[in-house]
Amino acid sequence: MEREPTAELIRAQLRRLRVNAELSQEEFGKLVHFSGSQVSAVELGQRPLDRFFLKRADEVLGTGGLLTSMLKLAERDGQPSWFRPWLEAERQAQQMRCYQPTLIPGLLQTENYARAVIRTDDMISDDEVERRVAVRMDRQAVLIRSDPPQFVAVVEESVLRRTDEAFRGLMAEQIAHLIASSERPHISIHVIPAEISMHVGLTGHFTLARTSEGGWIGQLEHQLGGVVVDKDDDLAILLARWESVRNEALSRRQSIELMKEVVTSWS
């Protein structure tokens, strides 16, 4: 991502703003709590763009959040081409339906849970892990905007209980977040209990989004990437499968009680 046009534009804009403010790299570094050499490395592309650095730069230079806004665009540019249409659908959605058989859905993950999930891929660097975590957290803004979509998620009980002692603190935090999210009027989380051993959803994760025009779009993921689904016949299948998995799940209140029981069982 670092050599993409948007990222290069951020560096050029940062340097222009700093020079216009008549600040040397050393002087600017002191104001943003970085060394002059670190400022130079950012401007030359030798150091990854840092969210904290750009936030401080925006404050010092009085940009009104310009640089951090541009960073979000750079991160969006860095997404795989197949995923970009889905990000747009996600931002515009009026309703969303998500079934996840193996993980907590991304829009409901805590930062620590997201980081643990992303770190399971040992082929990516620590900087890339943090970039992906930041992007995932930014995506969650759709659920806290002034007109959020109705979001309904179905997860497996086994996902809530998949932990060892080393991760119980992380999972307790994550389940507490799910419970708090469930109390919001536009978010419903339903758990398929462990005794439901076989159902059609186990073939894989899928998410559906409904736009203000009334049309649906779907998204599937696999080990090498994913695909956006927009053909009517395929969407009809996903909508039917959504009804099937939702019917296997507990009610909203029963699901909250089960989540509370899971956390209590660890103590």
Side-chain angles (χ1 to χ4, degrees):
M1 168 184 152
E2 285 303 304
R3 289 297 174 183
E4 290 188 0
T6 311
E8 292 301 306
L9 181 60
I10 294 172
R11 294 192 177 90
Q13 189 76 337
L14 171 65
R15 185 176 187 282
R16 184 185 68 80
L17 290 165
R18 176 183 62 76
V19 170
N20 286 351
E22 299 182 346
L23 293 170
S24 68
Q25 290 177 336
E26 288 290 340
E27 292 168 335
F28 181 66
K30 290 178 181 178
L31 294 173
V32 296
H33 310 307
F34 278 69
S35 68
S37 61
Q38 288 174 320
V39 172
S40 175
V42 171
E43 292 184 355
L44 293 172
Q46 298 167 349
R47 179 187 174 97
L49 291 170
D50 181 278
R51 187 173 296 261
F52 172 77
F53 175 89
L54 292 180
K55 183 175 184 294
R56 288 288 301 148
D58 277 330
E59 292 169 356
V60 168
L61 297 169
T63 69
L66 173 66
L67 297 173
T68 49
S69 295
M70 291 176 71
L71 178 61
K72 290 181 180 180
L73 288 175
E75 290 170 340
R76 194 174 306 161
D77 288 346
Q79 295 293 332
S81 59
W82 72 267
F83 197 56
R84 293 173 196 169
W86 174 253
L87 288 177
E88 189 62 27
E90 197 174 71
R91 284 191 294 272
Q92 296 181 5
Q94 299 297 305
Q95 297 178 35
M96 295 188 71
R97 307 285 185 261
C98 178
Y99 169 66
Q100 246 295 2
T102 56
L103 295 169
I104 303 299
L107 291 184
L108 296 173
Q109 292 178 4
T110 64
E111 182 174 335
N112 287 329
Y113 183 94
R115 184 174 290 108
V117 170
I118 294 168
R119 275 185 175 157
T120 60
D121 185 349
D122 58 7
M123 297 179 67
I124 59 178
S125 67
D126 289 344
D127 286 338
E128 178 63 10
V129 168
E130 293 307 313
R131 186 191 73 80
R132 294 189 187 189
V133 170
V135 170
R136 189 162 301 180
M137 294 302 102
D138 283 343
R139 285 174 55 206
Q140 295 180 2
V142 300
L143 296 182
I144 58 174
R145 68 191 189 200
S146 59
D147 58 338
Q150 179 198 52
F151 184 83
V152 185
V154 173
V155 299
E156 299 285 337
E157 181 180 349
S158 59
V159 173
L160 305 177
R161 296 188 185 275
R162 184 185 296 126
T163 185
D164 55 32
E165 291 187 10
F167 286 95
R168 282 188 181 170
L170 180 153
M171 284 303 300
E173 176 191 50
Q174 175 63 73
I175 295 174
H177 178 66
L178 293 179
I179 293 169
S181 297
S182 294
E183 300 290 353
R184 304 176 72 178
H186 63 287
I187 298 176
S188 296
I189 301 169
H190 302 271
V191 180
I192 296 180
E195 59 260 30
I196 308 296
S197 57
M198 295 293 288
H199 59 82
V200 70
L202 293 175
T203 53
H205 150 266
F206 62 92
T207 306
L208 291 154
R210 188 173 186 267
T211 67
S212 57
E213 290 78 29
W216 287 92
I217 185 169
Q219 181 244 337
L220 309 173
E221 293 183 12
H222 52 71
Q223 288 285 345
L224 298 179
V227 62
V228 172
V229 180
D230 56 9
K231 293 182 181 178
D232 289 345
D233 290 348
D234 293 337
L235 288 168
I237 292 172
L238 290 181
L239 286 164
R241 292 192 176 184
W242 166 258
E243 292 300 323
S244 293
V245 297
R246 174 63 189 87
N247 287 337
E248 297 287 2
L250 300 174
S251 70
R252 182 178 189 166
R253 184 52 52 187
Q254 289 172 321
S255 297
I256 291 174
E257 292 305 313
L258 187 149
M259 287 188 281
K260 290 179 178 178
E261 184 275 322
V262 168
V263 176
T264 302
S265 72
W266 295 335
S267 59

